[in-house]
C-alpha cells in the first residue's frame, strides 16, 4: 500500500486528445450512422447536433470540473467534495464502467478477429467466405471469442500499466491521427465512387416520413450522445482529475464535443453510401434493422462486392474500428483502475492486475454467451445483450443524479468557479445553471423512461 504521486496530462492538447479518444469509439463508427439512417437522416443529424452542443456540453463540463476540483476519480470524488452522503453516486458511477468494460472488450475481440481476417486476405491468404456464416460460426465457436477478447483486454491493460503520460497519452498520439486520416480517406474514396450520390442523399436529406414521432428521434439522439461522449461512467471525472489547473475546462469541452460529433457524422459518409449502393434504400433499411449485423455482416458483403479495392477498404476500415475501440476501452479501464487505486490506496500495477482479471472473468460470460454457455440467458437475453440493456438503464440514472447533485446540492456556482480558475470564459453561466438544474435531469429521466418502456415492451415511446 503505497501512495503514488497523482499523474497529470502533459498539457491541454493531451487532455483533449485523451478525452476525444475515449469518446470516439464503436458508438461513432457503428451506432451513429445506423441511428441516423433509421431516424430520418438529416432530421436525426440536426437534433443530435443541437443536443450535443447544449446538453452534451453541459454534462461534459460538469464531469470534467468535478474531477479536477476533487482531484479524485469518481469513487472518492464525492466524499472529497465534502458530501459523504452522495458517496453512493461515486459507487454507482464505478459500477457502470466495471460492468460495461468486460462486454465492450468482447466486442473489441470481435473487431480483432475481423482485423486479423482482413489482414490475412490482403496478404494473399484465404477469404472469409460468406460473411453471415463467418460471423455466426465465429461468435458461437468454443474458444475464439474468448481468445480474441483476451488479446484485446491484455493490450488495453498493457497501455494502462505504462501509465497516464507514457502509456495513454502516447497510444492516443499515434492512434488518433491515424484514425482521423483513415476516416477522411475512406469517406473521400466512397464519395468518389460512381453512384454514391444517392446514398449521400439518403443519409443527409431529412426524411420526415421515417420519423413520425419526433420524441423518439430526440430520445434516440440523446441516448446516443451519452454513450458517444462517454458520459455518466466516471471516465470524464477521472480524466478531469489529471487535468492541470491552467488548462481551460470549457474550451476543452467544446473541442471534445466537436471532435466526437465530427467523427460520428463522418462515419455516416463512410458507411451509408456504400450500403445504399449495395442494397438500395429498402435493403438498407433492412440491414439497419439488423443491428450489429450491419458492421459485421453487411459491410463485409459490401467490401467483397467492391473487388480487390474492397479488401483494402475493409482492412483499413477494421484497423480504424480497432483503434477506436482500443482507445475507448483504455479510458474505461483507466476509470476502473484509478478508482481501485484511490479507494484502496493500492499500487497502480496491483489495480491493473485486479481489473484485468475481473474483465476476463466477467467478459467470459458474454464471450461464451452465443456458444458454449448459450443456455445461460439472464432475463431471456444472451449475456452480452443483458449487460448492454442493464447499462442503458443505469447510465441515465447516474447522469440524472449527477445533475441533481451539482444543480441542487453542490450548486452550479462551484463548477463555474472551477471553470473560472483556469481563466476560461464563463459567458455560459446562466445557460449552464438552467441546464444542469432543470433541463438536463428532466431530459435524462425521459431517456430512462423510454428504456424501461422498451424493456417491458410498453407504449410507442421505446427507442
Ligand atoms: N464513447 C465510446 C463510443 O462512442 C463508448 C464508450 C462508452 C467508451 C463508455 C468509454 C466508455 O463508442
Amino acid at each position: 500500500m503505497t501512495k503514488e504521486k497523482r499523474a497529470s496530462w502533459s498539457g491541454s492538447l493531451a487532455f483533449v486528445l485523451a478525452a476525444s479518444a475515449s469518446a470516439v469509439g464503436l458508438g461513432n463508427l457503428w451506432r451513429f450512422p445506423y441511428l441516423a439512417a433509421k431516424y430520418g437522416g438529416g432530421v436525426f443529424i440536426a437534433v443530435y447536433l443541437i443536443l450535443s452542443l447544449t446538453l452534451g456540453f453541459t454534462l461534459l463540463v460538469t464531469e470534467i470540473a468535478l474531477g479536477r476540483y476533487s482531484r479524485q476519480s469518481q469513487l472518492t470524488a464525492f466524499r472529497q467534495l465534502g458530501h459523504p452522503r452522495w458517496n453512493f453516486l461515486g459507487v454507482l458511477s464505478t459500477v457502470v464502467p466495471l460492468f460495461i468494460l468486460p462486454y465492450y472488450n468482447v466486442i473489441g475481440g470481435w473487431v480483432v478477429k475481423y482485423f486479423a481476417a482482413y489482414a490475412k486476405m490482403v496478404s494473399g491468404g484465404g477469404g472469409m467466405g460468406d460473411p453471415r456464416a463467418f460471423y455466426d460460426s465465429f461468435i458461437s465457436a468454443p474458444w475464439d471469442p474468448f481468445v480474441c477478447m483476451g488479446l484485446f483486454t491484455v493490450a488495453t491493460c498493457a497501455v494502462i500499466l505504462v501509465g497516464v503520460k507514457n502509456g495513454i497519452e502516447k497510444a492516443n498520439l499515434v492512434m488518433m491521427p491515424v484514425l482521423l486520416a483513415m476516416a477522411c480517406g475512406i469517406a473521400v474514396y466512397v464519395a468518389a465512387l460512381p453512384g454514391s450520390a444517392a446514398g449521400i442523399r439518403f443519409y443527409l436529406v431529412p426524411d420526415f416520413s421515417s420519423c413520425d414521432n419526433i420524441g423518439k428521434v430526440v430520445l434516440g439522439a440523446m441516448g446516443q450522445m451519452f454513450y458517444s461522449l462517454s458520459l455518466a461512467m466516471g471516465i470524464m471525472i477521472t480524466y478531469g482529475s489529471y487535468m492541470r489547473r491552467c488548462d481551460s475546462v470549457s474550451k476543452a469541452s467544446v473541442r471534445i464535443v466537436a471532435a466526437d460529433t465530427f467523427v460520428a457524422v463522418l462515419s455516416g459518409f463512410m458507411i451509408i453510401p456504400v450500403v445504399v449502393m449495395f442494397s438500395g434504400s429498402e435493403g438498407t433499411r433492412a440491414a439497419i434493422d439488423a443491428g450489429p449485423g450491419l458492421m459485421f455482416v453487411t459491410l463485409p458483403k459490401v467490401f467483397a462486392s467492391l473487388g480487390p479495392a474492397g479488401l483494402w477498404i475493409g482492412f483499413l476500415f477494421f484497423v480504424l474500428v480497432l483503434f477506436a475501440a482500443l482507445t475507448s476501452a483504455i479510458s474505461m479501464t483507466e476509470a476502473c483502475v484509478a478508482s481501485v487505486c484511490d479507494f484502496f490506496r493500492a499500487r497502480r500495477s496491483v489495480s491493473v492486475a485486479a481489473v484485468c482479471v475481473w474483465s476476463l472473468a466477467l467478459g467470459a460470460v458474454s464471450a461464451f454467451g452465443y456458444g458454449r454457455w448459450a443456455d445461460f440467458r439472464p432475463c431471456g437475453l444472451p449475456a452480452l445483450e443483458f449487460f448492454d440493456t442493464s447499462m442503458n438503464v443505469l447510465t441515465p440514472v447516474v447522469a440524472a443524479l449527477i445533475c441533481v447533485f451539482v444543480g441542487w446540492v453542490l450548486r452550479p456556482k462551484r463548477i463555474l468557479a472551477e471553470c473560472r480558475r483556469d481563466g476560461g470564459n464563463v459567458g455560459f453561466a446562466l445557460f449552464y445553471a438552467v441546464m444542469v438544474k432543470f433541463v438536463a435531469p428532466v431530459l435524462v429521466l425521459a431517456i430512462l423512461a423510454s428504456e424501461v418502456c422498451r424493456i417491458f415492451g410498453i407504449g410507442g415511446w421505446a427507442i
Side-chain angles (χ1 to χ4, degrees):
M1 302 256 190
T2 344
K3 185 102 175 82
E4 292 170 16
K5 184 174 174 293
R6 192 161 198 82
S8 77
W9 303 112
S10 55
S12 168
L13 180 67
F15 170 69
V16 172
L17 203 59
S20 309
S22 165
V24 172
L26 296 171
N28 306 56
L29 294 172
W30 160 67
R31 210 161 173 262
F32 182 88
Y34 131 79
L35 286 175
K38 184 169 173 189
Y39 289 122
V43 186
F44 180 87
I45 300 175
V47 170
Y48 185 86
L49 287 179
I50 296 171
L51 277 176
S52 53
L53 288 173
T54 50
L55 185 62
F57 170 78
T58 305
L59 292 167
L60 204 54
V61 166
T62 305
E63 290 202 14
I64 297 174
L66 273 178
R68 192 174 67 176
Y69 186 30
S70 65
R71 289 261 157 228
Q72 292 286 306
S73 55
Q74 72 276 20
L75 186 55
T76 38
F78 297 89
R79 190 173 57 198
Q80 179 75 14
L81 292 174
H83 295 278
R85 279 185 31 211
W86 285 81
N87 237 358
F88 75 94
L89 201 44
V91 175
L92 270 183
S93 45
T94 308
V95 166
V96 178
L98 270 175
F99 279 86
I100 293 187
L101 179 65
Y103 80 80
Y104 198 86
N105 286 348
V106 172
I107 303 179
W110 296 3
V111 180
V112 170
K113 176 74 182 179
Y114 275 73
F115 161 74
Y118 274 93
K120 196 166 145 209
M121 285 193 280
V122 292
S123 57
M128 63 165 46
D130 172 42
R132 171 96 257 164
F134 181 86
Y135 174 74
D136 288 339
S137 75
F138 165 62
I139 61 167
S140 60
W143 284 106
D144 254 22
F146 180 76
V147 173
C148 293
M149 185 251 324
L151 285 174
F152 185 86
T153 308
V154 170
T156 314
C157 288
V159 173
I160 300 290
L161 197 58
V162 183
V164 170
K165 261 194 195 139
N166 291 325
I168 306 182
E169 266 191 44
K170 297 244 164 77
N172 292 332
L173 205 58
V174 176
M175 285 195 266
M176 286 307 281
V178 175
L179 183 154
L180 258 188
M182 282 193 302
C184 292
I186 298 179
V188 170
Y189 174 84
V190 168
L193 286 174
S196 64
I200 296 181
R201 238 178 287 126
F202 181 92
Y203 176 49
L204 289 185
V205 174
D207 169 15
F208 292 97
S209 65
S210 62
C211 54
D212 46 337
N213 186 339
I214 190 75
K216 272 192 182 182
V217 179
V218 174
L219 291 179
M222 203 157 44
Q224 166 63 10
M225 186 202 75
F226 263 98
Y227 183 76
S228 192
L229 286 173
S230 310
L231 291 169
M233 307 197 194
I235 292 173
M236 294 302 168
I237 301 184
T238 299
Y239 271 21
S241 76
Y242 305 141
M243 196 179 181
R244 300 185 310 180
R245 289 248 143 87
C246 53
D247 296 327
S248 165
V249 172
S250 49
K251 263 194 210 144
S253 303
V254 172
R255 288 178 186 154
I256 296 162
V257 171
D260 184 58
T261 311
F262 176 73
V263 178
V265 175
L266 193 64
S267 33
F269 279 100
M270 286 194 288
I271 294 173
I272 302 297
V274 284
V275 178
V276 172
M277 271 156 62
F278 180 77
S279 347
S281 316
E282 283 320 304
T284 303
R285 287 195 202 293
I288 283 162
D289 286 338
L294 179 68
M295 182 179 279
F296 295 108
V297 178
T298 313
L299 280 181
K301 280 189 191 160
V302 176
F303 295 143
S305 77
L306 293 175
L311 276 192
W312 277 99
I313 294 292
F315 173 67
L316 288 182
F317 180 77
F318 280 104
V319 174
L320 172 89
V321 181
L322 182 63
F323 281 9
L326 269 174
T327 51
S328 293
I330 287 174
S331 72
M332 232 181 301
T333 310
E334 176 62 29
C336 299
V337 166
S339 294
V340 175
C341 282
D342 289 344
F343 188 76
F344 295 105
R345 295 179 188 274
R347 271 182 183 282
R348 209 175 151 80
S349 48
V350 175
S351 315
V352 176
V355 171
C356 186
V357 170
W358 163 265
S359 303
L360 290 174
L362 198 64
V365 180
S366 301
F368 293 138
Y370 297 96
R372 55 172 67 222
W373 292 351
D375 290 341
F376 174 62
R377 291 171 71 87
C379 301
L381 291 172
L384 191 145
E385 287 164 40
F386 167 74
F387 283 122
D388 191 40
T389 309
S390 327
M391 291 305 117
N392 282 349
V393 174
L394 208 51
T395 320
V397 174
V398 174
L401 287 171
I402 290 184
C403 294
V404 171
F405 170 72
V406 168
W408 301 95
V409 180
L410 188 73
R411 300 279 162 187
K413 62 175 193 262
R414 299 276 287 276
I415 295 292
L416 290 164
E418 184 62 34
C419 295
R420 235 175 244 119
R421 244 171 124 150
D422 54 38
N425 178 356
V426 280
F428 57 88
L430 180 63
F431 165 81
Y432 177 81
V434 174
M435 284 300 284
V436 84
K437 281 178 112 154
F438 306 104
V439 183
V442 171
L443 285 180
V444 172
L445 286 175
I447 314 188
L448 177 65
S450 110
E451 242 342 280
V452 172
C453 288
R454 186 168 70 84
I455 293 166
F456 293 102
I458 8 175
W461 281 85
I463 43 177

